[in-house]
Amino acid sequence: MAAAITFDEALGLAARAPRVTGAGRAVAAKLRLDEGISSFTFNPQLAVQPGFRFYPSEYRDVEVLAELSQPFNLAGHARARRATARLEEDELGESARAVALEQRLGAARAWIDLWAAQRVFAASRRDEQLAVELERLAERAAAASAATRADVADAQAFLSEARVRRIAAEGEVFERGMELSREAALVEGAATTADGELPEPALPPQSAWPSLIEHAGRLPDSRAQALRARAGKAREVEERAARGSWLQLGLVAQRDAPGGLVGSVLARVSPSVFDRGERERGVFAAEAERLEGERANAAIEARADVAIAAHEVEHTGELLAVLSDALVPASRAGADLRQRIFDAGEATMVEVLQARRIAVDAASRLARARAAHAWARVKLYLLARAIEEGR
């Protein structure tokens, strides 16, 4: 097992995960290169045409024609591609925020699940020791003719159940520990352990939850999808502008044999008559419509996610209250009382074991219920922070 980490350490490690830092570097690389986007969408052209005059013979000499020109797009291509680049930058930034939020949520869930698995494993070890004592008690009672061989068999079966639970819990601890190592981007290749108690984040007041649901579209994944749809439409506009009319202006210098020099200006116009980029624009237009549908769907999913997260806080809180205030104390008291009655010779081993099974199951459910409630609160807290940051 790797070193134990606290909940806050797990979130801190998640922020340095390779996929999170890689998304940040992608934004920086995009911004750096987009700063160099030129206002000229065509490069200058230089043409040199050497020749030789053969006739008339008295003027035989080398002739050279040089042309320097600069094309200009007349359809606003430079403005369109800068607008597309800005939308792509914003979309990359929101996507990076979405990756970071997803990594934090994954690390938080993995740590809380591991915490619950560790508590269940610790309880299963205690229950196994108790089952060993019950088996010994049943065997002594049977030797003294105070119990039957059936009671001994029941105690042995209970011990076997306890060992199965302990082995299963031990396996879950390892799996959850590896999951936490993965979500926290630890490279040791060993299972991590959860150190400390469950987090208790301060949630917005319940009266503010409907507002969170209403503004769920501010979540980074939803915002990124909206910007992706806008960028898709901008690419179609950019392609249309790229296929628009263009003007070419230039200077021409000519050495005219023998020894003459001619200068002139050049103006060419290429109107957008036949090819307006319909082939390429069709792909971009179709993709833009598809992304628009994804944007609308992402907004619906975001509101549903926040609503479910808010409901889970209430639901898991109610379940935790019933378990901690009623079921667990009652089952523990029932098991202890049943044991005392058995020791007094007024109860059967079956009754004792049944009471112990109920108590063991209730204790395990309580640990998992505490974890589920903590996860629900942490999830709503992280989503609420992301919504607030998306203003």
Side-chain angles (χ1 to χ4, degrees), residues 327-340:
L327 180 58
V328 170
S331 62
R332 186 182 297 119
D336 292 342
L337 290 172
R338 191 66 63 180
Q339 182 68 47
R340 293 175 187 172

Side-chain angles (χ1 to χ4, degrees), residues 62-116:
V62 175
E63 292 190 354
V64 178
L65 179 67
E67 176 185 305
L68 177 63
S69 62
Q70 174 64 54
F72 298 91
N73 183 277
L74 302 178
H77 185 207
R79 182 175 61 256
R81 67 177 185 167
R82 281 196 297 268
T84 302
R86 284 194 296 269
L87 287 171
E88 290 172 345
E89 292 165 3
D90 293 341
E91 185 271 326
L92 272 178
E94 291 298 332
S95 294
R97 287 184 59 227
V99 170
L101 176 59
E102 181 182 356
Q103 196 73 26
R104 286 197 300 271
L105 287 169
R109 181 63 184 268
W111 191 95
I112 291 172
D113 286 346
L114 176 58
W115 181 93

Side-chain angles (χ1 to χ4, degrees), residues 94 97 217-228 390-391:
E94 291 298 332
R97 287 184 59 227
R218 295 175 181 170
L219 287 172
D221 189 57
S222 182
R223 287 170 60 91
Q225 192 60 54
L227 288 166
R228 203 170 293 128
R391 287 183 180 275

Side-chain angles (χ1 to χ4, degrees), residues 127-137 158-159 162-163:
D127 294 334
E128 184 179 11
Q129 292 299 319
L130 176 61
V132 170
E133 294 300 325
L134 287 174
E135 183 193 28
R136 292 173 181 171
L137 177 61
F158 182 73
L159 174 59
R163 285 174 176 167

Side-chain angles (χ1 to χ4, degrees), residues 110-122 169 172-173 176 194 198 364 366-372:
W111 191 95
I112 291 172
D113 286 346
L114 176 58
W115 181 93
Q118 290 176 180
R119 294 304 185 277
V120 171
F121 175 57
E172 184 183 2
V173 167
R176 299 298 187 185
L198 289 170
S364 297
L366 176 61
R368 297 192 186 280
R370 290 183 62 195

Side-chain angles (χ1 to χ4, degrees), residues 162-301:
R163 285 174 176 167
V164 168
R165 285 194 297 270
R166 190 259 303 165
I167 294 171
E170 186 176 11
E172 184 183 2
V173 167
F174 176 78
E175 292 176 4
R176 299 298 187 185
M178 289 302 301
E179 181 69 18
L180 178 57
S181 295
R182 181 173 63 184
E183 294 294 340
L186 297 175
V187 297
E188 291 85 352
T192 308
T193 57
D195 184 29
E197 290 300 319
L198 289 170
E200 297 181 359
L203 295 180
Q206 196 167 359
S207 60
W209 293 2
S211 178
L212 290 178
I213 298 171
E214 180 183 356
H215 296 100
R218 295 175 181 170
L219 287 172
D221 189 57
S222 182
R223 287 170 60 91
Q225 192 60 54
L227 288 166
R228 203 170 293 128
R230 290 176 58 190
K233 295 177 180 179
R235 291 187 189 99
E236 193 271 330
V237 174
E238 180 184 353
E239 184 63 26
R240 181 175 58 192
R243 299 306 181 95
S245 301
W246 57 275
L247 170 67
Q248 187 175 19
L249 301 176
L251 299 173
V252 180
Q254 180 179 1
R255 183 188 185 279
D256 190 19
L261 180 63
V262 179
S264 60
V265 295
L266 168 70
R268 292 192 182 99
V269 176
S270 178
S272 178
V273 177
F274 301 113
D275 182 10
R276 299 179 180 177
E278 289 85 356
R279 171 67 181 86
E280 293 78 9
R281 287 167 54 198
V283 175
F284 289 128
E287 180 66 7
E289 293 300 328
R290 186 189 68 80
L291 290 173
E292 180 61 26
E294 294 290 339
R295 180 206 63 78
N297 195 70
I300 295 172
E301 290 182 355

Side-chain angles (χ1 to χ4, degrees), residues 17-32 96:
R19 65 193 296 255
V20 177
T21 57
R25 291 195 304 271
V27 176
K30 174 71 172 170
L31 290 171
R32 184 177 65 253

